[in-house]
Structures are given as structure tokens and as C-alpha cells.
Amino acid sequence: MKITVIDGQGGKMGRTVIEQLKKNHPALELYAVGTNSTATAAMVKAGADYGATGENPCIVAARDSDIIIGPIGIVFADALLGEITPAIAQAIGSSKAFKILIPVNRCSHYIVGCREAGLGEYIRLVCEKVDSLL
């Protein structure tokens, strides 16, 4: 099973997801794709087995991943302060991968029905979902 974590900016969310998944499933192979080198480095440092940076790795990962995890902005063109290109958003949005999108109520969008919770709570829910898919 190919699990890809995609993040941008400082990679904090992706780093936290990878740390928790590796804590619960050390043998799990995780792919980290950052929209910039800082995000990729943070996720690799957290324990990702593979790392790549940029638009094309996002597109390629979307083609053959079984699960894609990241902030909800990865499916919105120009999100993450412009780091998500239209091509990235389209590739992830149309991917057959099961997508686990972490809600973030900022950057000019609000997710109705999504309760305000801390990152830790959302990461716990992400890990539970991954557990159910394994």
C-alpha cells in the first residue's frame, strides 16, 4: 500500500502525521511530497521513507498512491499561499487514491460542519482512519 503525505509551507502538519503513523506502524512505508524543500525536509526528518519536492512529484504521487493525506488545501488551486498549483489540485482531486484531508479554516475558506479542533485531534482522527484502511 502506497501512502503519500503531501504538505507545503513549513511541513508541520505533514511532519506530525508522519511521526504519529510511524509511531503506530513503524514498518509502514511513507512517501513525503512537499511543495517546497522545507516541507519535504521536515517530513523526511520525521521518518518518511522517501521524499520529493515540487509540482511533478505531487502529480506522479497522485497517480499511483493508495492513500493521500494532507491539508484540505491540496485540492484547491492556489492554496497554501499559492504553493498548490492548478495542476497539483487537479491531479490530487482526480486521483483514485483514498484522500484523507485535514480541515484548516483559513486562507479564505471555511469548512461548514467542521468543528474547531487542534491539530493533535485531527492527527488522531487521521491515524484512526489509516488504521481502518490497513
Side-chain angles (χ1 to χ4, degrees):
M1 177 173 289
K2 182 174 180 180
I3 299 176
T4 301
V5 179
I6 300 175
D7 201 3
Q9 301 192 322
K12 179 181 178 186
M13 189 177 293
R15 181 191 78 216
T16 307
V17 167
I18 289 169
E19 286 172 348
Q20 291 304 308
L21 287 175
K22 280 295 192 176
K23 179 180 168 187
N24 296 330
H25 304 283
L28 203 59
E29 282 194 338
L30 299 176
Y31 293 75
V33 180
T35 58
N36 63 64
S37 60
T38 302
T40 304
M43 292 187 286
V44 170
K45 187 175 180 182
D49 299 285
Y50 309 97
T53 302
E55 180 181 71
N56 201 56
C58 288
I59 294 168
V60 171
R63 275 189 218 139
D64 64 355
S65 291
D66 297 300
I67 300 173
I68 296 173
I69 303 169
I72 195 164
I74 63 174
V75 295
F76 298 148
D78 300 327
L80 278 66
L81 299 176
E83 292 184 19
I84 302 300
T85 65
I88 292 172
Q90 195 278 329
I92 295 169
S94 64
S95 172
K96 292 182 193 267
F98 188 89
K99 295 163 215 58
I100 301 175
L101 303 173
I102 301 167
V104 180
N105 290 325
R106 48 187 279 218
C107 298
S108 301
H109 64 269
Y110 178 79
I111 302 149
V112 175
C114 177
R115 64 189 166 94
E116 295 294 329
L119 180 58
E121 175 66 11
Y122 287 129
I123 300 304
R124 185 185 64 73
L125 294 170
V126 166
C127 291
E128 285 178 9
K129 188 60 182 177
V130 170
D131 288 347
S132 75
L133 295 170
L134 293 178

